[in-house]
Amino acid sequence: MGDVWAFGRDSGFVAGQVLVGFNVESADGVIGHVERLEDEPGKQHLVVDTGVWKFGRSVLIPAGAVTVVDGEDRKVKVAASREEIKAAPRFTTDSETTDHGYLAEVGAYYVSLRG
């Protein structure tokens, strides 16, 4: 993966693509569905509604964690596991999507998962 805040060239993401409503999956199960997509260069990320598995909370997933965008099946696959996403810095308000400190914390967390 390249930059944690950008979709990888091999992900299948097309600039301007609408991902709202797409299912989000990890290798170990469904995470939820895309509520919002931030497509601004250097800050690309998904806000994902996790539904019941995380008590209805949303999570912020940097675009660099996305491995596949499947427009035909309306599915986004991510590299992180469900447990890794649950352990990520907690997303609570939309204002955090512009908070450089929060974004740095989330970015560092996902970079640390790369191994």
Side-chain angles (χ1 to χ4, degrees):
M1 280 188 282
D3 178 13
V4 73
W5 296 109
F7 287 97
R9 287 186 305 229
D10 297 333
S11 70
F13 177 74
V14 178
Q17 187 173 16
V18 177
L19 301 181
V20 173
F22 278 38
N23 287 326
V24 180
E25 298 180 0
S26 66
D28 60 350
V30 174
I31 293 165
H33 69 273
V34 178
E35 275 186 311
R36 289 183 300 289
L37 163 68
E38 175 57 61
D39 197 13
E40 182 180 329
K43 286 203 259 184
Q44 290 179 315
H45 63 267
L46 306 174
V47 174
V48 178
D49 178 349
T50 61
V52 295
W53 73 265
K54 196 171 176 193
F55 309 108
R57 285 185 253 169
S58 295
V59 294
L60 187 140
I61 300 176
V66 172
T67 56
V68 175
V69 175
D70 184 337
E72 190 172 314
D73 286 339
R74 296 182 47 82
K75 187 182 307 181
V76 174
K77 294 185 180 183
V78 296
S81 71
R82 287 169 51 119
E83 288 303 314
E84 289 169 333
I85 290 170
K86 283 182 186 180
R90 188 169 175 184
F91 174 77
T92 54
T93 65
D94 285 341
S95 64
E96 289 172 324
T97 63
T98 58
D99 179 333
H100 295 292
Y102 173 75
L103 294 176
E105 183 182 1
V106 171
Y109 174 79
Y110 279 92
V111 166
S112 77
L113 298 178
R114 295 179 183 173

